[in-house]
Amino acid sequence: MELRGFDDGYGTRVAGWALDEKEVALLSGRVAYPFPEELRGSWRTVDADIHSYLLFDGDRPVGYGEVWLDDEEDEVELARIIVDPEVRGRGFGGELVRALLGPALEAGYSEVFLRVRPENDPAIRAYHGSGFVDVPAALMEEWNDGQPVPYRWMRYAGEQVGAGELRG
């Protein structure tokens, strides 16, 4: 497995991994299915604080995720995590999360968080297996105020991972 910086040439392929409206919304912020044609080449938000990555199994991209840096809050959020549907259920989600922890922790912020839809049991299992735990219920409720849907918020509590090193 190798984590590489995202190349826009893979945008259409990754957009095609979204199998329903929920996945399109999580990846692009738009509620539509199939993935809107006008966004297939430009769905990614390009911002200096957002770093996008692809996880490769050999030459094949199998997962996509972003690392969002927040100087104001002194935290990092892992976001827009999606795995190629052809390889889901084979542990690639956990591999992707552990790989994303490399650049997330290397950034030097005090906390690493992520959010997930509460019904996404496979993702929650992958996050728990990668060292994430639920934030306290009161904090989860506070953070969900103003969100389009209620999320399950998790913070990284596991051992530190060096850049490019996969744990597990």
Side-chain angles (χ1 to χ4, degrees):
M1 294 295 141
E2 180 185 5
L3 188 68
R4 303 179 196 164
F6 182 79
D7 177 319
D8 283 331
Y10 288 99
T12 298
R13 181 182 216 168
V14 173
W17 294 348
L19 297 179
D20 58 29
E21 285 183 353
K22 284 183 181 179
E23 289 185 359
V24 171
L26 291 172
L27 193 56
S28 72
R30 291 274 202 70
V31 178
Y33 184 79
F35 203 95
E37 189 63 39
E38 71 273 11
L39 291 180
R40 287 195 172 262
S42 63
W43 55 271
R44 232 171 31 87
T45 301
V46 179
D47 187 313
D49 295 340
I50 297 175
H51 302 274
S52 305
Y53 297 93
L54 282 171
L55 181 69
F56 282 81
D57 181 19
D59 291 333
R60 179 183 180 176
V62 293
Y64 172 85
E66 296 176 353
V67 175
W68 296 357
L69 307 177
D70 187 336
D71 290 337
E72 187 175 312
E73 298 291 332
D74 189 30
E75 66 188 33
V76 177
E77 184 175 346
L78 303 186
R80 296 186 172 166
I81 297 168
I82 189 167
V83 173
D84 180 343
E86 291 184 15
V87 298
R88 289 180 187 171
R90 298 186 199 168
F92 288 107
E95 293 283 347
L96 175 59
V97 170
R98 288 187 294 275
L100 290 169
L101 280 168
L105 294 170
E106 191 175 82
Y109 293 84
S110 65
E111 298 275 4
V112 178
F113 295 97
L114 57 76
R115 59 186 133 169
V116 60
R117 287 187 181 244
E119 70 273 11
N120 192 344
D121 291 329
I124 292 166
R125 281 192 301 277
Y127 301 150
H128 278 148
S130 299
F132 282 83
V133 297
D134 291 325
V135 302
L139 191 56
M140 201 173 304
E141 187 176 319
E142 177 185 331
W143 289 354
N144 276 325
D145 187 40
Q147 294 292 331
V149 298
Y151 293 104
R152 183 169 176 172
W153 292 84
M154 305 176 85
R155 75 172 181 81
Y156 181 63
E159 60 190 42
Q160 298 234 334
V161 178
E165 176 185 342
L166 299 182
R167 182 174 61 83

